[in-house]
Amino acid sequence: MLRRSTGGARGALKAAGKLARSFATVEKADCVVIGAGVVGLAVAQRLALCGRDVLVLESAPTFGTGTSSRNSEVIHAGIYYPPDSLKAAFCVRGRELLYEYCSERGIPHWQIGKLIVATGPSEVPKLSSLMDRGARNGVDDLRMMDGPEAMRMEPELQCLKALFSPVSGIVDSHSLMLSLVGEAENHRATFSYNTTVVGGHLEGNSMHLHVCETKNLDENGNGQFPLQPELVLVPKVVVNSAGLSAPLLAKRFHGLNDQVIPPAYFARGHYFTLANTKNPPFRHLIYPIPEDGGLGVHVTLDLNGQVKFGPDVEWIDGVDNVSSFLNRFDYSVSASHAERFYPAIRKYYPNLKDGSLEPGYSGIRPKLSALQQLASDFVVQGEEIHGVPGLVNLFGIESPGLTSSMAIAEHIVAKYLT
Ligand SMILES: Cc1cc2nc3c(=O)[nH]c(=O)nc-3n(C[C@H](O)[C@H](O)[C@H](O)COP(=O)(O)OP(=O)(O)OC[C@H]3O[C@@H](n4cnc5c(N)ncnc54)[C@H](O)[C@@H]3O)c2cc1C
Ligand SMILES: *[C@@H]1O[C@H](CO)[C@@H](O)[C@H](O)[C@H]1NC(C)=O
Ligand SMILES: *[C@@H]1O[C@H](CO)[C@@H](O)[C@H](O)[C@H]1NC(C)=O
């Protein structure tokens, strides 16, 4: 529901709810951001600071309930990604912006550094390629360590060799998002929670968004499509930052060339926490060599000293479009996954005790490529791709999307929205 009014949109939405569903109210708007995850929030904050009139539409009751609160909260250095990729560029730039922002605003974060470890002889050369790649991506200060040196740094660690990344760190993503929301609101942005964009259509050259109150979808959803909008918004700028559902939503923008919308795939990652850790076994982030689809089951610490292991990679089926808008994905963490975690973790942490892992939480990666396909890059589509002025679609914003959020915002606002 709209909390504050922008151009009468609140009244319109209310009225529309009471009227016959077939009579949608039409309202103009300046900038609409779809999705209040960390990326949408960074875009909204930046647009608001530029003096634009911003309306954020979020299907959930509050911000940050999707992938943005279901991740490792690691500030990545930018090592892994192919040179010249958006992931590499946005990660390195985003990391700089994020550290600066967190320092200025007093957002809890900690540059604790990370060790990528080789535990078998075949993995040792992979560390050198990662170091080269990192250097090409502009990640400074990477340092190769022999096993004994790394194990002196981390007495519980077992490894043959390690790559030390001092610029990696952790951030309290909730505090970060809270700060972005506050700043956007201070610059007159409006947040409309419990509000779902169910689709849209192209009229002339502009995207008309079809908007419903989420609770009405709950009641009347029943798989009936197309959904009747209660409100049609006609913004100058639309940023589709709907995360896992961004491609499914774009497919419901009638008139948009759907040839350019990538297919959506989903890979869940589970986390387990370490029980009874008064003394965390590690002081740095510890990462194995990356696996297909993810970075490997690694050690993360959060700012409360909680130790967590994860995420693994489990490819899962998607859900239908409206269920995805309502975040009805399966986030369960079955205790049985722990069986695969113990041997993976013991490769670098041999003292891990039986029974010490407790199910934590899970997150789902918004993938654009399927298992065994080449990993895809972030996809940012503006007018040059789809021909619609003012529309920006963000697809496949998986890791390092948290680290990259402020750089993505900087890029799209500079390129498309000012
Ligand atoms: C397991 C895992 C671990 C990760 N670890 C890290 C890490 O350590 N470091 C890092 O940098 N990155 C990490 N990431 C990536 C990072 O979490 C994401 O890139 C980032 O959170 C994406 O933010 P977003 O705003 O694009 O999406 P989301 O947070 O998913 O936000 C999208 C929002 O859109 C809303 N929405 C959806 N459909 C609609 C609709 N139709 N109408 C209105 N609202 C809608 C949703 O409710 C949601 O709030 C990880 C990701 C995963 C899955
Ligand atoms: C959103 O909906 C929930 C119930 O689904 C309700 O408790 C909450 O007050 C609503 N929030 C807003 C801002 O309307
Ligand atoms: C949305 O999902 C429904 C139910 O799965 C399906 O029938 C419909 O074709 C989908 N619409 C689009 C545009 O993908």
Side-chain angles (χ1 to χ4, degrees):
M1 270 284 289
L2 287 167
R3 287 203 307 186
R4 259 201 277 148
S5 119
T6 341
R10 176 194 184 129
L13 198 56
K14 271 204 158 164
K18 292 191 188 108
L19 285 172
R21 290 275 178 274
S22 51
F23 286 95
T25 315
V26 180
E27 287 281 336
K28 286 197 175 142
D30 183 24
C31 303
V32 170
V33 175
I34 307 168
V38 71
V39 174
L41 295 177
V43 172
Q45 181 252 17
R46 197 158 193 107
L47 282 170
L49 258 54
C50 293
R52 304 290 301 244
D53 228 325
V54 182
L55 174 60
V56 181
L57 303 178
E58 167 56 57
S59 54
T62 187
F63 62 86
T65 60
T67 311
S68 297
S69 57
R70 301 174 158 276
N71 58 65
S72 303
E73 298 190 294
V74 168
I75 303 177
H76 284 297
I79 300 169
Y80 302 99
Y81 321 105
D84 304 321
S85 63
L86 291 179
K87 282 183 179 173
F90 288 157
C91 186
V92 170
R93 174 70 180 148
R95 186 227 313 143
E96 291 166 0
L97 291 172
L98 191 56
Y99 275 127
E100 194 182 290
Y101 185 81
C102 291
S103 303
E104 281 171 1
R105 308 299 196 284
I107 293 161
H109 69 290
W110 191 8
Q111 190 179 326
I112 54 178
K114 136 170 163 178
L115 287 163
I116 307 176
V117 300
T119 55
S122 67
E123 291 181 349
V124 171
K126 293 185 184 156
L127 284 184
S128 308
S129 2
L130 282 175
M131 181 153 170
D132 290 347
R133 185 168 266 199
R136 284 169 68 191
N137 289 348
V139 183
D140 302 324
D141 308 328
L142 292 174
R143 192 157 71 80
M144 204 62 89
M145 283 180 179
D146 59 17
E149 186 183 1
M151 284 147 64
R152 272 196 302 277
M153 232 168 112
E154 286 288 6
E156 289 291 337
L157 176 66
Q158 175 174 290
C159 68
L160 295 176
K161 209 167 176 175
L163 180 60
F164 180 55
S165 163
V167 297
S168 304
I170 52 178
V171 59
D172 176 349
S173 55
H174 182 78
S175 300
L176 170 65
M177 290 191 279
L178 193 61
S179 172
L180 292 169
V181 170
E183 237 170 309
E185 281 183 331
N186 288 340
H187 289 81
R188 300 185 40 251
T190 302
F191 286 77
S192 182
Y193 298 114
N194 291 336
T195 305
T196 303
V197 181
V198 294
H201 70 277
L202 207 54
E203 213 172 290
N205 237 349
S206 66
M207 187 52 69
H208 289 43
L209 296 177
H210 301 178
V211 182
C212 287
E213 281 191 58
T214 301
K215 69 170 168 21
N216 296 333
L217 289 173
D218 272 348
E219 284 159 14
N220 306 331
N222 296 338
Q224 289 163 18
F225 301 99
L227 293 147
Q228 281 299 335
E230 295 156 27
L231 172 68
V232 173
L233 276 175
V234 189
K236 294 197 187 104
V237 160
V238 176
V239 179
N240 173 7
S241 45
L244 291 165
S245 22
L248 301 170
L249 179 59
K251 287 225 163 82
R252 291 185 57 87
F253 290 161
H254 300 289
L256 182 68
N257 174 10
D258 63 6
Q259 301 295 309
V260 300
I261 303 169
Y265 301 97
F266 305 93
R268 189 168 52 212
H270 308 93
Y271 292 87
F272 282 80
T273 55
L274 198 54
N276 309 320
T277 37
K278 284 197 199 83
N279 301 308
F282 300 106
R283 292 185 305 124
H284 302 85
L285 305 167
I286 311 287
Y287 277 62
I289 299 287
E291 58 179 335
D292 280 347
L295 296 180
V297 170
H298 50 254
V299 180
T300 314
L301 307 160
D302 68 19
L303 288 142
N304 304 316
Q306 169 83 257
V307 181
K308 48 193 182 188
F309 295 94
D312 57 354
V313 180
E314 183 185 18
W315 293 83
I316 58 170
D317 292 334
V319 295
D320 72 57
N321 40 43
V322 175
S323 301
S324 85
F325 305 160
L326 303 176
N327 201 12
R328 288 192 185 144
F329 291 90
D330 179 1
Y331 288 108
S332 58
V333 182
S334 145
S336 66
H337 283 105
E339 285 161 29
R340 281 177 268 157
F341 272 63
Y342 283 100
I345 297 165
R346 280 178 179 144
K347 284 188 190 160
Y348 56 82
Y349 176 29
N351 287 336
L352 177 69
K353 299 210 169 36
D354 277 331
S356 59
L357 294 180
E358 291 175 344
Y361 59 96
S362 74
I364 298 175
R365 301 171 182 87
K367 294 278 185 191
L368 302 181
S369 48
L371 175 66
Q372 316 229 307
Q373 287 178 346
L374 211 62
S376 56
D377 198 5
F378 292 157
V379 171
V380 178
Q381 293 185 341
E383 184 180 357
E384 81 283 9
I385 304 286
H386 52 57
V388 181
L391 173 67
V392 181
N393 282 315
L394 297 172
F395 299 132
I397 313 294
E398 55 171 335
S399 189
L402 170 63
T403 311
S404 305
S405 51
M406 303 190 83
I408 295 173
E410 179 183 64
H411 170 81
I412 67 174
V413 171
K415 183 164 177 191
Y416 301 108
L417 310 179
T418 43

